Amino acid sequence: MTIADPLHADAVAVLSRWAAPSPEQDRLRRDYLDVLDTRPDAMRRACVPAHLTGSAIVVDPAAGRVLLLLHAKAGLWLQAGGHCEDGDGSLAATALREATEESGIAGLRLGAGGRPVQLDRHPAPCRPGVVEHHLDVQYVALAPAGAVAAISDESNDLGWFGYDDLPQPLGGGVVELIAAARAAL
């Protein structure tokens, strides 16, 4: 299949070479690649029943803390993330843009060599009843020393939390994402 969309081509390349840390993660990786193989629009929010998204857990390793956002639609504490946009040249760029926009922190940079640390398939809050799942590709973003976060219109709240002192209600997969991020660092 010839791919005209560079974001789509990037997702295929990233997921084809990503070394999944577990059999379950490898099954997800292969499922994502199947969607990409059959859906040229898999990177777009209009793709149903599922589409790829990018997210990043913002980490301040020196202080031993993560930044979580109380998602306005989901009502859960989650990492920053969202849909791919035309200006995003890669999944990593999507994750970094979303983390920067939703945290208000300038100067974030991707950790783990810019590679994903985890995949997560979860119900999509973007179009209930139309889009069933987000196929999220998750990264770790490193905050600069002394970073101050600012709430965006996509969240009801945000805050820094110790790795073992997380708020409730916590979104599914967040604990695993934090563990994967810490292991990658």
Side-chain angles (χ1 to χ4, degrees):
M1 170 195 286
T2 301
I3 306 296
D5 181 357
L7 190 53
H8 189 284
D10 171 75
V12 170
V14 166
L15 293 169
S16 292
R17 67 178 177 257
W18 184 61
S22 70
E24 179 182 327
Q25 286 287 293
D26 194 54
R27 276 191 296 283
L28 281 176
R29 183 188 69 82
R30 285 183 276 120
D31 288 350
Y32 286 25
L33 285 167
D34 287 346
V35 170
L36 287 160
D37 188 46
T38 59
R39 297 299 304 257
D41 61 343
M43 305 307 294
R44 307 296 169 197
R45 75 173 61 214
C47 183
V48 292
H51 49 257
L52 276 76
T53 57
S55 69
I57 186 78
V58 177
V59 178
D60 178 351
R65 62 186 187 160
V66 296
L67 183 73
L68 295 175
L69 303 94
L70 184 57
H71 194 276
K73 286 184 182 177
L76 300 169
W77 289 94
L78 299 166
Q79 74 279 7
H83 295 101
C84 300
E85 295 182 1
D86 289 336
D88 298 337
S90 66
L91 275 168
T94 295
L96 189 57
R97 176 187 50 76
E98 288 285 346
T100 300
E101 289 175 358
E102 293 182 12
S103 72
I105 299 173
L108 293 175
R109 62 184 177 82
L110 292 181
R115 293 180 304 278
V117 295
Q118 181 171 280
L119 305 178
D120 184 63
R121 178 187 354 235
H122 55 263
C126 63
R127 291 170 47 206
V130 177
V131 177
E132 294 173 11
H133 292 101
H134 281 164
L135 307 177
D136 198 33
V137 180
Q138 301 177 329
Y139 294 80
V140 58
L142 302 174
V148 176
I151 196 165
S152 76
D153 60 359
E154 295 187 36
S155 303
N156 290 335
D157 199 1
L158 81 166
W160 290 104
F161 300 93
Y163 296 139
D164 299 317
D165 188 26
L166 301 173
Q168 296 296 323
L170 196 59
V174 173
V175 170
E176 293 83 359
L177 176 57
I178 292 168
R182 291 177 70 189
L185 297 176

